[in-house]
Amino acid sequence: MQVFKFGGASVKDATAIKNVVKILQTFATEKTIVVISAMGKTTNKLELLAQAYFKGTDDLHLILDDLKSFHFNILEELFPDRSDKVFDEIENLFTEITWCLEEPISENYNYHYDQMVCMGELLSTKIVSAYLNYSGVENRWEDARNFVQTDNNYREGKVDYDLSQQLVNSQLIPLFSSVSLVVTQGFIGGTSENYTTTLGREGSDYTAALLAYFTNAKQVTIWKDVEGVLNADPKYFKNTSKIDELTYHDAIELTYFGTSVIHPKTIKPLQNKNILLYVKSFIHPQAPGTVIKKSVNRVNVTSYIFKENQILISIQPKDFSFIAEDNMGEIFNALGKFKVHANMIQNSAISLSICVDNDPFKLDPLISSLQQSFKVLYNKNVQLMTIRNYNQEIINSLSEGKIVLLEQRTRNTHQMVLQDETSD
Ligand code: ASP
Ligand code: MG
């Protein structure tokens, strides 16, 4: 068994989908589970739809029409004659979205979000699976919610490993007695009450890893629009280079600090069963890509992880007491409650500083809650630079012309929160 994962960029239009079919014809020569994300920027658009529904704004129908025409245009390009049953199936999924929009709005935004946002993956997998069949690549479409079971922590569903394992054994593995290719959705799961959950943005990689873990697959391949794991994001750095081999441990660290090629939760299940992880280019599928495995021929390449749009929050007890265990407990509980991930933490005698992604949906309630007991100050629009395998020269050159608001180093990793000299 092997697992392939195709992200949004690999299925962003009809040409891209044709390329996926070619890759499967060439590389899916054994039993393969194909995990697919929503097409192109569909998830972002569905997020906008969920927000419009929740706020009751009238761009709702514009967003929905846009999503609909995007998917139907692709369908029409792939299937010249409209008689294929996939047209009805896609129409039905859009009807389901309309039902979600007609549901009375409850307090629980995250619940509504998941019931709508999951549609991106249902749409993409229906289309790709139908087009594979149409191209003579026999496959079976399966609903991932039948075997990826989570709690009802919407938008961040926590996977129930034991139950999902049982369901994979009873629902997924038997399919392979009649087909060798199963197409399913990344990112989505189901609860015991048959509601839909999502596993967190970019969670399809994690689904691929889970399914590999549950089926004892030999390897997972994540097909990307880059040649493999690079030592830096080409959006911010010139002269990037591909890393040929990484250990699971290196990969966990890099993804934890924000390397966006692989979702951070992906590595651990693979490491636990020693399943190889390949990151390869769907544009140059024959190229070797990056392999992540137990031990590698080590070369300590310097890697750079740059995160923009960060906020540095500084939290101080209102009564001028010290930052101590009891108030730290309160702060960390609040981070947990509002699901805010701290990208960097540092404390001094009277304040605790945390650097987080700027997501107002999560931060506004966090900050109001903290303000009940603390004085909360923040710097917006800062950047977080993480360097693995650093040296002083590199640090100096990257902080040139910037104000270093906070700095932290371990043996391998150097992090700094930076602000442009011109911003306030
Ligand atoms: N479609 C989801 C997202 O964009 C999941 C994924 O792409 O992995 O976040
Ligand atoms: Mg995606």
Side-chain angles (χ1 to χ4, degrees):
M1 183 76 78
Q2 63 172 344
V3 179
F4 279 0
K5 182 262 174 174
F6 291 96
S10 66
V11 289
K12 70 177 195 308
D13 53 30
T15 315
I17 293 173
K18 290 180 182 168
N19 183 50
V20 166
V21 172
K22 246 192 244 146
I23 290 179
L24 290 173
Q25 282 167 330
T26 318
F27 296 93
T29 47
E30 56 198 294
K31 291 178 183 170
T32 307
I33 300 170
V34 183
V35 172
I36 305 177
S37 305
M39 291 154 76
K41 300 281 172 224
T42 299
T43 306
N44 292 355
K45 286 192 190 150
L46 285 163
E47 277 192 341
L48 290 179
L49 187 74
Q51 285 167 16
Y53 156 81
F54 213 66
K55 291 188 196 145
T57 51
D58 45 8
D59 50 351
L60 194 104
H61 291 284
L62 287 177
I63 304 171
L64 187 59
D65 289 347
D66 178 34
L67 273 166
K68 211 169 165 178
S69 54
F70 172 76
H71 286 90
F72 274 98
N73 286 342
I74 292 175
L75 267 188
E76 273 158 22
E77 211 178 318
L78 291 174
F79 300 90
D81 111 60
R82 282 198 65 130
S83 66
D84 199 291
K85 72 174 193 317
V86 67
F87 283 87
D88 287 336
E89 289 175 334
I90 298 305
E91 197 63 60
N92 292 343
L93 288 172
F94 276 101
T95 309
E96 278 189 46
I97 302 182
T98 332
W99 289 338
C100 293
L101 297 172
E102 284 163 5
E103 245 191 82
I105 301 177
S106 76
E107 288 282 276
N108 193 346
Y109 173 72
N110 293 345
Y111 159 80
H112 292 290
Y113 173 104
D114 279 358
Q115 313 317 304
M116 284 181 219
V117 170
C118 68
M119 293 295 173
E121 271 66 17
L122 294 169
L123 290 163
S124 66
T125 48
K126 280 278 180 202
I127 295 175
V128 175
S129 166
Y131 189 66
L132 279 165
N133 278 327
Y134 177 85
S135 315
V137 183
E138 204 195 329
N139 74 97
R140 167 95 191 225
W141 180 90
E142 226 3 77
D143 191 326
R145 295 171 295 187
N146 293 339
F147 40 80
V148 178
Q149 284 290 303
T150 72
D151 62 5
N152 56 7
N153 191 4
Y154 295 105
R155 282 186 83 177
E156 202 75 53
K158 185 164 181 279
V159 174
D160 180 333
Y161 267 67
D162 292 339
L163 184 54
S164 302
Q165 175 73 71
Q166 281 170 28
L167 291 166
V168 164
N169 293 347
S170 62
Q171 314 274 328
L172 175 60
I173 294 176
L175 301 177
F176 284 93
S177 60
S178 53
V179 280
S180 61
L181 210 68
V182 171
V183 173
T184 194
Q185 307 78 44
F187 180 55
I188 72 173
T191 69
S192 53
E193 291 109 22
N194 274 328
Y195 291 115
T196 307
T197 48
T198 60
L199 309 179
R201 286 302 307 267
E202 306 305 326
S204 298
D205 294 351
Y206 180 43
T207 305
L210 285 170
L211 296 181
Y213 178 90
F214 294 136
T215 57
N216 293 317
K218 157 175 116 254
Q219 64 191 53
V220 173
T221 307
I222 297 181
W223 297 91
K224 304 275 310 179
D225 55 359
V226 287
E227 51 178 330
V229 178
L230 305 182
N231 72 327
D233 185 341
K235 206 162 88 193
Y236 305 113
F237 294 88
K238 280 184 253 155
N239 307 324
T240 56
S241 57
K242 185 195 61 133
I243 304 173
D244 297 335
E245 299 186 347
L246 279 169
T247 62
Y248 294 113
H249 180 86
D250 287 332
I252 286 173
E253 294 263 316
L254 286 175
T255 56
Y256 179 80
F257 289 123
T259 299
S260 58
V261 244
I262 317 164
H263 188 280
K265 286 186 186 163
T266 311
I267 317 291
K268 202 68 197 148
L270 301 180
Q271 181 182 27
N272 290 357
K273 285 203 177 164
N274 227 336
I275 299 167
L276 299 175
L277 173 60
Y278 290 91
V279 179
K280 290 182 58 156
S281 157
F282 61 74
I283 303 159
H284 303 289
Q286 302 290 352
T290 298
V291 59
I292 296 160
K293 53 188 190 180
K294 199 164 157 194
S295 66
V296 301
N297 305 319
R298 182 167 286 285
V299 261
N300 280 337
V301 254
T302 303
S303 302
Y304 306 88
I305 303 142
F306 185 63
K307 292 188 125 202
E308 284 183 305
N309 201 13
Q310 300 287 294
I311 294 197
L312 181 62
I313 308 179
S314 157
I315 305 158
Q316 305 172 1
K318 273 186 181 161
D319 55 5
F320 300 105
S321 61
F322 292 124
I323 279 286
E325 293 66 23
D326 52 348
N327 44 37
M328 274 209 206
E330 194 178 335
I331 297 167
F332 286 116
N333 272 335
L335 290 176
K337 179 168 170 208
F338 297 102
K339 303 194 180 100
V340 175
H341 174 76
N343 295 327
M344 181 173 162
I345 303 177
Q346 202 171 84
N347 73 306
S348 72
I350 54 153
S351 85
L352 184 82
S353 300
I354 52 173
C355 182
V356 298
D357 295 347
N358 181 7
D359 174 352
F361 255 96
K362 291 180 176 177
L363 287 185
D364 293 350
L366 170 75
I367 291 175
S368 335
S369 156
L370 287 172
Q371 276 168 338
Q372 291 167 16
S373 322
F374 301 95
K375 186 170 162 197
V376 182
L377 305 168
Y378 45 88
N379 289 78
K380 277 192 172 169
N381 236 328
V382 299
Q383 305 134 12
L384 177 64
M385 172 64 90
T386 305
I387 314 162
R388 296 260 301 155
N389 304 321
Y390 62 89
N391 62 41
Q392 193 56 45
E393 202 183 327
I394 294 172
I395 296 169
N396 295 347
S397 79
L398 291 173
S399 54
E400 207 181 292
K402 308 241 183 198
I403 303 163
V404 180
L405 297 175
L406 212 63
E407 191 171 8
Q408 197 159 280
R409 59 179 89 190
T410 64
R411 240 175 340 138
N412 293 319
T413 306
H414 180 274
Q415 288 193 289
M416 50 192 168
V417 177
L418 301 169
Q419 188 173 49
D420 289 332
E421 266 173 356
T422 46
S423 67
D424 44 28

